[in-house]
Amino acid sequence: MFSKILIANRGEIACRVIQTARKMGIATVAVYSDADRNAPFVRMADEAVHIGASPAAESYLIPEKIIAACKQTGAEAVHPGYGFLSERASFVEALEAENIAFIGPPAGAIAAMGDKIESKKLAKEAGVNVVPGFVGEIRDTDHAVEISNDIGYPVMMKASAGGGGKGMRLAWSEADVREGFEATKREGLNSFGDDRVFIEKFIENPRHIEIQILGDKHGNILYLNERECSIQRRHQKVVEEAPSPFVTPKMRKAMGEQCVALARAVDYHSAGTVELIVSGADPTGESFYFLEMNTRLQVEHPVTEAITGVDLVEQMIRVAAGEKLELTQDDIGIDGWSIENRVYAEDPYRGFLPSTGRLVHYSPTVPGWTDDGEVAGKPRRGVAHGVGSVRVDDGVFEGGEVSMFYDPMIAKLITWAPTREEAADLQIEALDRFRIKGLGHNVDFLSAIMQHPRFRSGELTTGFIAEEYPDGFHGAAISEDFQRMLAAICAGNEFTWQSRARRISGQLDGALAVTSEWMVKIGDTRHEVILGDGHAMVDGHRVEGNCDWLPGMSQATATTADGATYGLIVERDGANWIITTRGAATRALVLPLRLASHESRMIEKIPPDLSKLLICPMPGMLVKLHVGEGDEVQPGQPLATVEAMKMENILRAEKEGVIAKINANEGESLAVDAVILELE
């Protein structure tokens, strides 16, 4: 077994590998860029080596710097995590040339599966179902249009070396192909150094199912059940679960055996994942097709660990050291249900735009990774919590920054319970207590998904988010009963706050009594609230329960008469209360009932007219200007392309007009809300 390993990665996955290595008694080495100098994974590792500037291309993506760090520290092996160099065959070969072990699959398997064009040919030869498409070299945009017309729309254009949702474009028409083909090539080149693109038929109403593979160097290969990863946005996974509510034992066996056959065809060892697309319209489950094989550990590996009890990182290390798998296929069972939500630095209330900046406040539901390498619980479980358990994998800290240089994921929230319903309930409860302040985040959105009737039914497709939130996300729906409860909570909090304020000494004639009669305005709805002991009358309806909020608390718990509990994030803004719970941030104006008649006379500030400005919606780089001064534009016409967190975003005209002034140049870094151009 190795005595020291180096982790060629950052963030939560670096913390994850360090945690298991320490459990195995293996010393660890971290490598870090300028941006990660104070990151948790650097403090957790036994040693740390600085390898360059913040951009990944100047640090984490340079094999020579990783190898030099190994030599400097005496590390015998490298765990690549995911992303960066994890699927670069030349990196594995370079390590082998220096007699440094790679904790992952052989270079040949990475090369074969990393090329999406060649991997489809291999999959077909191995007897794996493949999606109809064109896997040859595409000469130019006209050729791409010709191919797409032959396949039939819709089609998916993908960068051959792509992954993580990058380098992918869905085309419903020839116009979409002409607009997106070059952008797909650029994303592939910028993110992976390879601008080749392939085109395949897009399966409508698809489910994204993947099979976890684990093999050793002695010819043993197992499949560790499946994961359902259908809830995606822009082809990037948001929610993952294991097992899938759609997959039957018969499907699982058929999928697993085909995926093992593919792995065996390339002499695979270590952990890997075969991604499949399954037609949700076919209840037999026989319409499943090979998408790609990820020759690395997946972001969503914890849900597989939770239902199988297998520490995948430990198994990868043992396999790399030459050990034989102690498990057989018969040992792989399914224990309960696990769900993972990815907490991203993106603002769902602003079209899911990336959000970078400082984590002014960061308080996860349960402790994540700590400096001594321990997590609250084992990989199979997390913190005991009611009928199940909760686990948080993160790589950030309060006061730290979410940088524009890397992936926007803040943390992964994993729950396990005996049933799917209970695992989802745990997610909702845990998300209520996940507090992030300082930048936009998707916690509310994740909670809304967990509560959504369609998610609860298990009727999922990769179009779930686009179909259920066609006009964007505006917070989870709130019932009338729930709104009355929030009105009672806000009135109760205002009573508590004013009571505390009036206890300040030195007031003439002693403290004034605080009224129990309030007007609470939520949106355009006004509620009359009369507070009682352990209850409130809201618009004549009796609401029973208690809230434990006290002045100075940012988090509280509300308990109803039937024993239900709600985690609350509480903020006060003037006479307004902002209560965040169950996937919605509710803003409420609270006034004594006797003053309620004056509320309608309060002057509202009218926002300025910004319709003539093209404003940068996120921090990023202006990759391309599609127009010049004096050009006439029509609604929907592309005006500028901004790259943020390795994704290109096309900004379009919202109205007809003429370009009066351009304020930014191509290649310029833009701040959020920077004015790119102005219309007459």
Side-chain angles (χ1 to χ4, degrees), residues 89-142:
S90 60
F91 177 54
V92 181
E93 292 167 346
L95 288 174
E96 290 174 348
E98 299 292 341
N99 200 30
I100 301 169
F102 179 70
I103 303 175
I110 293 175
M113 293 293 104
D115 186 323
K116 289 184 173 61
I117 294 174
E118 293 303 316
S119 67
K120 287 185 179 296
K121 295 177 181 177
L122 278 168
K124 195 170 184 178
E125 292 171 4
V128 180
N129 305 337
V130 297
V131 179
F134 183 86
V135 293
E137 183 178 348
I138 301 174
R139 298 185 301 273
D140 51 30
T141 300
D142 288 337

Side-chain angles (χ1 to χ4, degrees), residues 421-477:
E421 191 82 8
E422 291 167 322
D425 287 343
L426 272 180
Q427 280 284 343
I428 296 166
E429 186 177 340
L431 288 163
D432 275 352
R433 302 177 185 280
F434 211 122
R435 186 173 183 233
I436 300 171
K437 194 172 182 180
L439 43 72
H441 58 82
N442 66 338
V443 168
D444 286 357
F445 180 62
L446 297 174
S447 181
I449 292 176
M450 294 294 99
Q451 299 171 65
H452 200 289
R454 183 173 163 190
F455 174 80
R456 290 294 183 138
S457 72
E459 297 297 321
L460 312 178
T461 71
T462 56
F464 176 93
I465 291 175
E467 292 160 9
E468 299 301 326
Y469 302 96
D471 301 319
F473 179 71
H474 307 290

